[in-house]
Amino acid sequence: MTKVRAMARGEFDELQVGYLPPLDMHILPRAVAQFQKSAPGVKVVLHDLGSDELCEKLRDGFLHLAVMIRPSGTSGVGLDFEEVGSYPFFVAMAPGHPLLRMKTISVEALASQPLVVLTRRNNSEYHRVYANVLSPLRPNIATESDSINSLITEVGIGTVVAVVSQLFKQAVGKRTAVSTTGRH
């Protein structure tokens, strides 16, 4: 954070910012706009990365800061975090999916559904989140997507569902339907 403050004072000319989609849809535009007002001479360079890669690039100094979900376990060791928001998780599914008829989706009903998830290679934190949501049941992973956009497409096809945050819900609008689970 010290380096970011130095940049705001004009001591540096470029700020490397990593982010985890879909956090870029809600938090990042406002934060970058506000920063650029206070430091108009600093170029902000954005990097769309997975949570593990964000932590790695923060540690090696390539990134100056990142907007991401706070990692659990050892991923975040040695990094400082400041909470800027909290968002509930939902189940995303295609319009007309049978789960939409349920007022609340039980964890058991969710665990029996074929899931689309982000690839573990760059999104281990996402895997920890949905494993926690489904615990002690095992998720039925049908496919892995390499990006939020491909995950949205998979959900839209109608054969899989996904565990997503409220930000995802806001980002996709009416292209998919979302419902709450019995656990928060």
Side-chain angles (χ1 to χ4, degrees):
M1 242 357 187
T2 304
K3 194 166 190 175
V4 174
R5 287 187 185 100
M7 286 179 191
R9 292 189 303 267
E11 295 174 24
F12 296 95
D13 60 352
E14 197 169 86
L15 178 65
Q16 302 292 324
V17 178
Y19 66 90
L20 183 67
L23 297 172
D24 59 314
M25 304 296 275
H26 184 341
I27 298 168
L28 205 52
R30 288 188 325 225
V32 170
Q34 189 173 21
F35 178 80
Q36 288 182 324
K37 282 180 186 174
S38 66
V42 178
K43 178 182 177 185
V44 178
V45 181
L46 301 175
H47 303 275
D48 174 350
L49 304 168
S51 54
D52 293 340
E53 195 172 8
L54 287 169
C55 290
E56 178 185 316
K57 299 237 180 250
L58 283 165
R59 272 194 212 81
D60 71 17
F62 176 78
L63 292 177
H64 299 114
L65 66 96
V67 179
M68 62 189 292
I69 296 171
R70 183 183 188 127
S72 58
T74 60
S75 295
V77 171
L79 300 174
D80 293 325
F81 291 88
E82 183 176 326
E83 186 173 312
V84 295
S86 175
Y87 305 94
F89 282 86
F90 296 88
V91 179
M93 63 205 87
H97 193 282
L99 288 180
L100 283 173
R101 286 180 254 155
M102 301 174 128
K103 186 174 184 169
T104 301
I105 300 170
S106 70
V107 174
E108 292 77 14
L110 177 59
S112 70
Q113 293 295 310
L115 292 173
V116 57
V117 298
L118 294 170
T119 56
R120 185 180 298 272
R121 182 176 51 86
N122 288 329
N123 300 286
S124 63
E125 193 58 35
Y126 176 78
H127 282 255
R128 285 188 283 275
V129 166
Y130 75 74
N132 185 46
V133 167
L134 294 174
S135 180
L137 304 172
R138 292 183 56 108
N140 176 13
I141 299 172
T143 188
E144 291 190 5
S145 292
D146 62 356
S147 71
I148 290 291
N149 288 332
S150 59
L151 185 135
I152 292 167
T153 301
E154 290 283 352
V155 168
I157 293 169
T159 58
V160 294
V161 299
V163 176
V164 298
S165 75
Q166 177 184 355
L167 294 176
F168 174 95
K169 179 180 172 181
Q170 293 169 348
V172 300
K174 297 185 189 282
R175 291 188 289 171
T176 62
V178 294
S179 183
T180 59
T181 63
R183 198 181 283 176
H184 298 280

